[in-house]
Every structure is written in C-alpha cells, then in structure tokens.
Amino acid sequence: MVKIVIVEDDKNIRNELYTFLKRNGYDAEKPDDFSSIIDYIKEADADLILLDINLPMFDGYYVCREVRKFSDVPIIVVTSRDSDLDELMSMNIGADDFITKPYNLQILLARISAVLKRCKRSNMQSDVITYNGIKVNVLNGTVSFNDKSIEVTKNELKILSYMIKNKGKIVSRESLMTYLWDCEMFVDDNTLSVNMTRIRKKLESIGVSNIIDTRRGLGYIIS
C-alpha cells in the first residue's frame, strides 16, 4: 500500500486529508510534532509527502531542502501561498508538484496519482544510479568512481542499487533478501554476507571506503 505522510500544521486540514486518503486506499500518516520532522520523515519510509510551506519550527522550504539531501521521495507542496515565486521556489528546491489552497480533493487525488506514476516511470527508466560521485550502471553491470571502474555480478549490482536507493536508512538483511528473492536472485543469509564483503572490497579497489556500515542486529546503511 502506498504510504503518504501529511506534513500540515492545521489540525482540521490534516485530519481531513488523512481521512480522505485512507478512504481512497492510501496508507496515511499525520505527524503533529514538527520539532523533529526531518527525523520523522527519514524513519517513515514514505512513498509521497504532502508538504505545507507555513509550518512551525521550520518552514516547508527548509524541510524540502533537507529531505532532498537523503531522499528522492516525491513531494507535493500544498499551500495557501499562491504566487509564481512560491511555486518557482518549490520546484527549484526539489518539489515534484505545487497545488494551492483551497483545492478540490479530487484534483489533489489526481495530482497524487500523476506524480506517483511519473516518478515510478522515471525510476524504471533510470540506467545509471548515482550517489556521492559513485555511478552504478544498471545496463552493463559496472560501478565507477573518479575515472576508475569495476564489474559487479548481478547479485552485487542489485544489492548496491537497492542500498543506494535507500540511502540514509537502515536496510535489514531480511528486506534485502526479500528484494533479491523478488528479483529472482535466490540467496540465503550466508550468501548475502559473502556478497556484501565482495561489494566492499570492489568499492575499495576504486577508492570508495567505508560507505556501507553494518548496524549490528539491524542491518546495513549507506553513509
């Protein structure tokens, strides 16, 4: 089920959106504490964020910029600000769409659907995944960094791609094995450990060290 996080400080609007999204088949969350909203978003693992600009503590522009440092989750700015400058600013800092209040809920629903489809299509068409100068070429199975390149196996390619797409979040061994199983890469716990060791050694050979941290009892995280 698609999860949408509603970052909105107006309680009535927040509750209305929450009820509406639930009724239309989405999993919704509506945080009401904005003092640590960035950490909340990191942990929520949302598929889309509805983001107001006028927020306590930090405004929506700040939130959007911070989220873009660790995630490419789709963001729709939903705000009472309706100037061209507000829309332009939102797009320039990484928002995927902009809709002004008051809005028609059905139109908002259509915008959500369109953004989710567009982002899914974009992800499917992406041949090269990049992170901090590392380039993972999905088509030819290579990883490059600073003009050095290495070849990786299918398992290694899938693991590294999945880790980068979930950068900044702890990925459990169970979720990695489930992902590989879904991709018809049949691995057990020991095979995963072997692959992870090989990935680290190959990355070190092209100058990338300590990028994958092990969190004991939890899994792995790209730092």
Side-chain angles (χ1 to χ4, degrees):
M1 184 181 292
V2 173
K3 181 193 288 187
I4 299 177
V5 171
I6 304 161
V7 184
E8 164 65 63
D9 68 324
D10 186 303
K11 183 178 180 180
N12 291 331
I13 295 176
R14 187 167 67 236
N15 289 340
E16 178 188 44
L17 285 172
Y18 177 82
T19 301
F20 177 74
L21 292 171
K22 285 281 193 178
R23 192 165 60 239
N24 282 276
Y26 290 105
D27 180 15
E29 293 186 6
K30 50 172 185 174
D32 56 10
D33 178 6
F34 300 95
S35 61
S36 56
I37 191 63
I38 306 301
D39 290 334
Y40 183 98
I41 291 172
K42 280 183 179 180
E43 296 175 6
D45 193 22
D47 297 293
L48 185 140
I49 298 171
L50 294 180
L51 177 64
D52 188 18
I53 294 177
N54 298 318
L55 297 170
M57 311 296 292
F58 312 103
D59 67 17
Y61 296 134
Y62 173 85
V63 173
C64 188
R65 281 192 295 266
E66 290 300 302
V67 170
R68 282 292 170 259
K69 291 179 181 179
F70 61 84
S71 175
D72 57 0
V73 59
I75 297 174
I76 298 179
V77 170
V78 183
T79 178
S80 57
R81 299 191 189 183
D82 59 359
S83 73
D84 291 340
L85 180 59
D86 286 309
E87 183 171 2
L88 183 61
M89 260 191 84
S90 298
M91 296 306 176
N92 283 341
I93 61 176
D96 296 274
D97 204 350
F98 182 96
I99 186 168
T100 58
K101 302 172 186 175
Y103 48 80
N104 181 296
L105 284 172
Q106 293 302 324
I107 292 177
L108 177 61
L109 194 66
R111 293 284 191 95
I112 290 171
S113 178
V115 168
L116 287 170
K117 287 179 182 178
R118 186 166 70 241
C119 291
K120 181 179 180 180
R121 186 164 58 247
S122 175
N123 289 338
M124 290 175 64
Q125 292 174 348
S126 177
D127 297 331
V128 179
I129 302 169
T130 61
Y131 176 68
N132 283 0
I134 304 166
K135 295 182 179 179
V136 181
N137 192 310
V138 178
L139 289 183
N140 63 19
T142 62
V143 180
S144 58
F145 180 75
N146 286 349
D147 299 324
K148 293 183 179 180
S149 183
I150 51 168
E151 292 186 359
V152 292
T153 66
K154 286 184 179 180
N155 274 353
E156 293 163 355
L157 179 66
K158 289 290 184 182
I159 292 170
L160 188 56
S161 299
Y162 187 71
M163 290 295 300
I164 290 176
K165 287 179 180 178
N166 288 277
K167 56 187 178 291
K169 296 184 289 188
I170 295 175
V171 177
S172 69
R173 295 177 65 87
E174 292 76 12
S175 65
L176 262 174
M177 287 189 286
T178 299
Y179 171 72
L180 292 170
W181 184 272
D182 289 342
C183 295
E184 298 184 353
M185 305 288 181
F186 306 113
V187 299
D188 56 22
D189 195 69
N190 183 63
T191 306
L192 178 59
S193 297
V194 171
N195 276 276
M196 195 62 74
T197 299
R198 287 176 177 169
I199 290 170
R200 284 169 166 152
K201 287 182 178 179
K202 288 184 177 181
L203 289 173
E204 288 175 0
S205 72
I206 58 173
V208 181
S209 301
N210 303 320
I211 187 174
I212 302 176
D213 294 329
T214 299
R215 298 293 174 86
R216 187 174 297 275
L218 297 174
Y220 304 99
I221 186 170
I222 286 276
S223 57

